[in-house]
Structure formats: structure tokens, C-alpha cells
Amino acid sequence: MRSKQQLTPAQQNFRNAMAQMAAAVNIVTTYGSAGTCGLTATAVCSITDTPPTVLVCVNRNSQMNEVFQQNKQVCINVLSAEQEELAYHFAGMRESSMEERFRMEVWQEKDELEHAPALVGSLANLHGRITAVHDVGTHSLFFVTIDKIDIHEGAGLVYFNRTFQTVK
């Protein structure tokens, strides 16, 4: 397996091209018998509205991949511009443990955590179940059927050209 420093020219060219594609920033969370975790993800997109289904891509080398697969439930939290710092935490770019991230007072109150954690102040919380998983290259593609949606107003956070940007 190649490390990030040993990319082929074709791989680097692909990554450079993908950096030019603006993407919404999300924190995808899960809860269940395998534990509670979350990660920052931009590889999230809608598939269909009947039934409402979203695709979430997670690196197969991530320790969280197996947790998501076992728990089978997720919440896709679409970040607002004010939540940029949380994106860094859940991308592992701050020195905070997973437990510390979920102790932050930004999570909706839960009834004994029936669902994956939902982020207060996000533009949308999409609660759903992983209904199919397909591995492609380095990533698992999780097909998530959405059961519940909460929508809120605000400026959005996107990732473009390897930096976070605000969109209104």
C-alpha cells in the first residue's frame, strides 16, 4: 500500500483535480453496540429521493469504518460556516480524543441515544440506516436510507482547493 508521500503522478493529478470540486462539509456520526464515533466527510452525495438515499464514502483503513458497518445507523450533520472548528476536530486535525469530541456541548439532547448523535446548529441532520456497502478501491461506499431529516437556516461550509470556505 502506498503512503501519502508516495503518490504516483496520476494519483496526485487526480487529487489536484478533486481539490477544485467544492464539496459540503459534514460530520457523519454513528452510535450502537460497536461504539460512538464520527468523522469529517466531504465525500457525501444524494442518490435518490425515493426512497431518500445518500452515499457516504469512508476510507477502508479508518478504524471507524468497521464501527459504521456494525452499528448500521448514522447521522449526516451538514455543517454551517460557524462549525469549521468542529470539522478540524472530527478530521483528526486537533488533539482531541473521540470521547472529548462527544463531550463538547454541541450535541442535541438524546433519549438514551436512540439515534446517532445530531449536531446543534448544523444546516441539516439526516438520520438514516446503512442499507448497503460496496468497497471500491481504498473506500467503502455506504448507501444510507434516510429516516428523519431536520433542516435549519444559515451559511454553509464547503471544502474547496484544500481550504474551508463559507457559502451563503
Side-chain angles (χ1 to χ4, degrees):
M1 176 170 275
R2 296 179 185 277
S3 69
K4 290 183 181 180
Q5 293 77 27
Q6 298 174 333
L7 296 176
T8 68
Q11 289 169 316
Q12 188 60 58
N13 195 39
F14 179 79
R15 288 184 181 198
N16 290 343
M18 293 302 98
Q20 300 308 309
M21 224 183 255
V25 181
N26 308 276
I27 293 177
V28 183
T29 61
T30 188
Y31 166 80
S33 61
T36 303
C37 68
L39 53 81
T40 299
T42 55
V44 174
C45 69
S46 65
I47 297 176
T48 181
D49 65 358
T50 309
T53 305
V54 176
L55 177 71
V56 177
C57 303
V58 177
N59 192 302
R60 289 181 15 206
N61 290 328
S62 169
Q63 294 177 346
M64 289 177 267
N65 188 306
E66 185 61 30
V67 177
F68 280 97
Q69 289 197 46
Q70 288 181 31
N71 287 344
K72 301 226 181 290
Q73 67 169 322
V74 300
C75 182
I76 302 162
N77 299 281
V78 182
L79 298 190
S80 69
E82 292 79 28
Q83 295 172 318
E84 181 176 335
E85 185 61 26
L86 284 171
Y88 286 110
H89 280 279
F90 279 84
M93 301 170 76
R94 299 290 188 258
E95 300 207 14
S96 57
S97 68
M98 194 61 66
E99 294 77 22
E100 290 170 322
R101 296 172 199 173
F102 283 104
R103 279 198 304 263
M104 296 175 181
E105 294 185 18
V106 296
W107 301 102
Q108 289 180 0
E109 292 295 320
K110 306 157 212 53
D111 302 60
E112 298 298 317
L113 260 181
E114 291 179 24
H115 303 284
L119 188 59
V120 172
S122 61
L123 297 180
N125 310 102
L126 295 95
H127 301 269
R129 300 166 282 109
I130 297 172
T131 53
V133 179
H134 297 283
D135 289 337
V136 177
T138 58
H139 283 67
S140 293
L141 285 61
F142 297 127
F143 293 80
V144 179
T145 302
I146 303 302
D147 300 316
K148 179 182 178 224
I149 301 171
D150 298 309
I151 300 173
H152 313 280
E153 297 293 320
L157 185 65
V158 298
Y159 196 67
F160 175 72
N161 203 18
R162 297 185 174 93
T163 62
F164 292 111
Q165 309 282 329
T166 298
V167 294
K168 296 181 182 193

